[in-house]
Amino acid sequence: MIAFHNPLHHRHAPVHEFFRGERVPCFEKPDRAQYVEDALRERGHDLLAPELDSQPVLAQVHTPRYLAFLQSAWSQWLALSPANAAVQPFPSVWPVRTLRSDVEPDNFVARLGLYSMDNGTPMAEGTWAAAKAGADAAASAADRVARGARAAFCCTRPPGHHAGPDFMGGYCFLNNAAVAAQWLRNQGVPRVALLDVDYHHGNGTQSIFYRRSDVLFISIHGDPCTEYPFYLGHADETGEGEGAGFNLNLPLPAGTSAAEWFDALEQACARIAQYGAGALVVSLGLDAFEGDPISRFALTSADFTRLGGRLAGLGLPTVFVLEGGYAAAELGTNAVNVLEGFETQEAVQ
Ligand code: SP5
Ligand code: ZN
């Protein structure tokens, strides 16, 4: 399969995140992408460098002031003190209900809170460079598909699906899958289906497309009553305005078996077929894996091959975008299994 990698992903390398008030090592670490790249090469898939600038499409899915903040955040952080070069910034205050988010405070940490949904998305010196190159890789994969490729894979980190129009969160900064979907729309695909199979609800992607009918968003994920991101992802969120009826959430309890997970996948596939999509974008999180350290579904490595085969059965030009998945050593096998399940099923059709 055509696969784009992110040559700058390693420049996003924060050291720690918070868990129950303590600093713990980051789960979203550079070796995740390295394992996937290694597995792709071992199994004969070539890796291409990004070949397009995603900037115009980023401006369609994120707000100007958020993009401006993100691009300059590290230099603003250093301007507070040169010693900050060795310190990770974290937000500590957020504009929740009744507080104003229309006025940007001058204080850097207050602005960081304005543009964040959690304190679980640490930044480092190269975060913007890595995130931007990842969005370029997603645009490049989408463009190949728009120009006739059956499928393409974007192997990148940091992930993207928790990043909304004007905020970061859940290890995500720029919404790569939204970039891919918007790129396909700009290239003339009238209706794009975006299926998110990451363990965590793709709240950022949902919010970006919630009032639109030209991108159908479907997510299979851990029930937000108990699982991150907690404040979005319920079954009664079905879209608004023009987008009414074009958002489908399939939350499943923590501990759900693979058999039940594949039942939900059938519901998702039925909705995609009914929608009449011209292309499919898959937010390919691999944290539904039984061995994932922060998630509680039970898919095996073989189940990821089955997932790829089922998606091929939709018969749509498909862009796969890597999202979460924290069992790093198994991430390569699980990602390539999806792609090979897709290609094998494609070959027998
Ligand atoms: C893209 C993606 O998968 N983002 C997930 C963000 C999850 N953030 C919350 C992480 C909570 C980690 N809890 C550690 C439990 C260790 N037993
Ligand atoms: Zn996830």
Side-chain angles (χ1 to χ4, degrees):
M1 188 176 290
I2 297 166
F4 288 90
H5 71 123
N6 176 351
L8 301 183
H9 81 82
H10 58 274
R11 293 193 53 197
H12 174 64
V15 179
H16 48 253
E17 62 181 78
F18 284 102
F19 179 61
R20 294 187 182 156
E22 302 291 337
R23 293 199 291 192
V24 300
C26 285
F27 287 93
E28 202 292 284
K29 52 195 178 180
D31 69 348
R32 295 178 61 249
Q34 192 61 53
Y35 277 112
V36 180
E37 290 184 20
D38 290 350
L40 285 163
R41 287 198 185 92
E42 269 167 34
R43 288 160 67 167
H45 303 269
D46 288 334
L47 286 169
L48 306 170
E51 49 198 17
L52 291 166
D53 180 2
S54 59
Q55 198 284 326
V57 178
L58 281 172
Q60 291 177 274
V61 301
H62 294 292
T63 65
R65 69 175 200 169
Y66 173 61
L67 292 171
F69 172 76
L70 200 57
Q71 185 158 10
S72 63
W74 194 260
S75 56
Q76 294 178 51
W77 176 237
L78 290 186
L80 295 178
S81 161
N84 280 349
V87 183
Q88 284 174 211
F90 283 98
S92 56
V93 59
W94 289 268
V96 298
R97 295 151 300 284
T98 77
L99 301 182
R100 285 181 65 173
S101 52
D102 59 321
V103 185
E104 264 198 336
D106 293 334
N107 179 283
F108 174 77
V109 174
R111 265 180 297 127
L112 187 56
L114 174 61
Y115 294 120
S116 301
M117 61 179 275
D118 62 18
N119 81 333
T121 310
M123 249 186 216
E125 185 276 335
T127 294
W128 168 260
K132 172 61 168 58
D136 292 348
S140 302
D143 196 61
R144 291 294 184 109
V145 167
R147 291 190 289 117
R150 173 69 173 96
F153 175 51
C154 170
C155 175
T156 192
R157 58 169 291 282
H161 74 150
H162 295 302
D166 64 352
F167 58 87
M168 64 188 84
Y171 315 142
C172 302
F173 300 88
L174 297 175
N175 196 312
N176 305 309
V179 165
Q182 185 64 50
W183 192 280
L184 290 162
R185 287 286 301 109
N186 293 355
Q187 297 305 309
V189 179
R191 284 179 301 282
V192 175
L194 202 166
L195 174 64
D196 190 324
V197 298
D198 187 282
Y199 179 77
H200 306 95
H201 176 249
N203 64 282
T205 316
Q206 170 171 313
S207 294
I208 287 168
F209 296 116
Y210 205 60
R211 303 185 65 85
R212 290 172 52 172
S213 60
D214 59 332
V215 178
L216 169 69
F217 179 69
I218 304 183
S219 182
I220 304 170
H221 52 270
D223 187 337
C225 289
T226 62
E227 306 307 295
Y228 186 90
F230 304 114
Y231 309 112
L232 210 66
H234 298 282
D236 66 351
E237 298 155 16
T238 55
E240 270 173 16
E242 279 278 302
F246 296 94
N247 193 90
L248 175 60
N249 283 329
L250 298 166
L252 301 170
T256 289
S257 69
E260 290 167 307
W261 192 93
F262 277 97
D263 288 345
L265 182 66
E266 281 312 308
Q267 289 182 59
C269 289
R271 180 70 185 97
I272 291 167
Q274 176 198 40
Y275 178 61
L280 173 67
V281 174
V282 181
S283 261
L284 185 60
L286 299 156
D287 37 13
F289 178 52
E290 59 181 355
D292 195 90
I294 68 169
S295 309
R296 296 190 280 173
F297 283 167
L299 270 62
T300 63
S301 293
D303 285 326
F304 285 106
T305 309
R306 178 179 171 195
L307 167 61
R310 182 64 189 91
L311 296 176
L314 290 167
L316 293 170
T318 300
V319 184
F320 292 95
V321 180
L322 186 65
E323 300 281 2
Y326 306 97
E330 288 96 341
L331 209 60
T333 298
N334 292 342
V336 179
N337 279 3
V338 174
L339 308 182
E340 292 185 353
F342 186 96
E343 289 186 318
T344 303
Q345 179 61 32
E346 181 60 19
V348 300
Q349 275 182 352

